[in-house]
């Protein structure tokens, strides 16, 4: 197994509201754990929401008594959401804060994924496949046939999300299970990458870089070359390779 994670402020932002966690070793009863969050709200609030959500999920997973990964991840995300909602209601500076989240774990050849918001998880091989579904206003327009999929990346409302951790007392989480092939690569990223770089280009970068580290850095470079309008975070995982590097 090989993994590498990277986060970058981007060209136009001064504060990084993205936060990620990457572990190839066990966290609680899960054999590995990967998390990407993209905070929103005021600068301090968004930064806090993403960091706190990652830390709370890791702590919850570590303490969970459940064996079922879906149950473990659901409980962890729900707990993080409950606390963020309470803090936002009690602290005026944190009102309106929230964060996207994608959490993944690989058990044998099965990839288990939970997501809220518009950060994404892809499986890359001969093709690139987006596993998560964006919880965004523009994605709803695409589903209704009001916006063409190819126009979604540049739509003026592309950053309006319809779900977030910390936005409401009740949180709806999507779960996915994918059977992985030995040659698959997993990418988890924020919209600072996907709004700047097309899926086809992401696929090309990953397929032409043998090293997970060089692939991550090339993705960030590409996003910044195209404008770097937002923070950029990427976690690249090659599950069935031996060496792992986590940053």
């Amino acid at each position: 197994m090989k993994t590498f994670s990277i986060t970058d402020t981007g060209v136009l932002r001064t504060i990084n509201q993205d936060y990620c966690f990457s572990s190839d070793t066990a966290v609680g009863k899960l054999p590995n754990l990967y998390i990407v969050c993209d905070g929103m709200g005021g600068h301090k609030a968004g930064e806090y929401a993403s960091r706190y959500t990652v830390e709370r999920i890791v702590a919850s997973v570590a303490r969970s008594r459940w064996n079922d990964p879906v149950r473990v991840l659901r409980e962890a995300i729900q707990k993080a959401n409950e606390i963020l909602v309470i803090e936002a209601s009690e602290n005026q500076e944190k009102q309106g804060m929230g964060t996207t989240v994608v959490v993944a774990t690989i058990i044998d050849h099965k990839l288990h994924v939970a997501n809220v918001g518009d950060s994404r998880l892809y499986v890359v091989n001969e093709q690139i496949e987006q596993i998560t579904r964006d919880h965004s206003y523009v994605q709803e327009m695409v589903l209704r046939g009001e916006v063409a999929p190819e126009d979604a990346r540049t739509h003026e409302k592309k950053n309006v999300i319809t779900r977030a951790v910390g936005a409401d007392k009740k949180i709806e989480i999507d779960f996915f299970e994918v059977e992985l092939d030995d040659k698959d690569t997993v990418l988890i990223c924020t919209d600072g990458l996907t709004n700047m770089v097309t899926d086809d280009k992401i696929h090309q970068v990953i397929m032409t870089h043998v090293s997970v580290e060089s692939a991550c850095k090339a993705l960030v470079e590409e996003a910044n070359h195209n404008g770097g309008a937002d923070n950029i975070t990427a976690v690249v995982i090659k599950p069935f390779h031996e060496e792992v590097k986590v940053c």
Side-chain angles (χ1 to χ4, degrees):
M1 180 180 270
K2 294 182 180 179
T3 70
F4 194 86
S5 57
I6 191 169
T7 186
D8 187 87
T9 304
V11 175
L12 301 184
R13 300 293 177 93
T14 57
I15 293 177
N16 193 343
Q17 297 187 75
D18 288 0
Y19 205 83
C20 65
F21 174 87
S22 181
S23 176
D24 64 301
T25 57
V27 179
K29 295 185 177 181
L30 299 183
N32 45 67
L33 187 65
Y34 308 96
I35 311 171
V36 165
C37 285
D38 180 0
M40 64 182 188
H43 281 174
K44 290 182 180 179
E47 186 180 19
Y48 175 85
S50 60
R51 176 179 57 81
Y52 182 83
T53 297
V54 170
E55 292 173 350
R56 174 53 52 188
I57 289 173
V58 173
S60 295
V61 170
R63 293 195 303 266
S64 180
R65 66 184 188 275
W66 307 115
N67 292 313
D68 175 30
V70 172
R71 194 165 188 175
V72 173
L73 298 182
R74 184 190 303 277
E75 182 180 68
I77 295 171
Q78 287 176 337
K79 285 183 177 179
N81 182 71
E82 289 170 7
I83 297 172
L84 280 185
V85 169
I86 292 170
E87 290 205 19
S89 67
E90 295 177 347
N91 187 329
Q92 187 173 1
E93 290 185 355
K94 294 178 181 176
Q95 288 180 3
M97 73 174 173
T99 183
T100 70
V101 66
V102 178
V103 191
T105 186
I106 299 164
I107 303 174
D108 297 325
H109 272 67
K110 283 189 178 179
L111 172 67
H112 301 270
V113 186
N115 95 286
V116 179
D118 63 352
S119 294
R120 295 179 178 178
L121 183 145
Y122 293 88
V123 172
V124 182
N125 201 322
E126 294 304 316
Q127 304 293 328
I128 181 169
E129 179 182 3
Q130 181 181 336
I131 303 302
T132 54
R133 183 176 66 85
D134 294 352
H135 303 137
S136 68
Y137 179 72
V138 169
Q139 179 61 29
E140 291 183 356
M141 294 176 71
V142 170
L143 294 173
R144 293 195 298 266
E146 297 171 6
V147 173
E150 59 271 19
D151 296 330
R153 279 183 59 252
T154 57
H155 195 278
E156 60 181 3
K157 294 185 177 180
K158 64 180 182 295
N159 294 323
V160 179
I161 61 175
T162 55
R163 296 189 207 173
V165 178
D168 202 322
K169 290 181 180 180
K170 293 184 67 177
I171 185 169
E172 187 176 355
I173 308 164
D174 283 355
F175 293 92
F176 305 89
E177 184 178 299
V178 181
E179 190 76 25
L180 293 174
D181 183 84
D182 287 347
K183 295 183 180 180
D184 284 341
T185 298
V186 177
L187 167 66
I188 312 173
C189 60
T190 57
D191 67 348
L193 175 63
T194 55
N195 284 340
M196 295 288 105
V197 185
T198 65
D199 284 7
D200 286 344
K201 185 62 178 180
I202 290 172
H203 180 242
Q204 179 187 349
V205 169
I206 289 176
M207 295 301 289
T208 54
H209 287 78
V210 176
S211 161
V212 289
E213 179 177 356
S214 63
C216 269
K217 291 179 177 178
L219 289 171
V220 169
E221 288 173 5
E222 187 69 26
N224 280 329
H225 176 74
N226 292 341
D230 200 353
N231 308 144
I232 309 149
T233 296
V235 179
V236 174
I237 309 160
K238 292 191 175 184
F240 309 112
H241 291 69
E242 293 179 0
E243 182 183 351
V244 176
K245 182 173 182 180
V246 180
C247 72

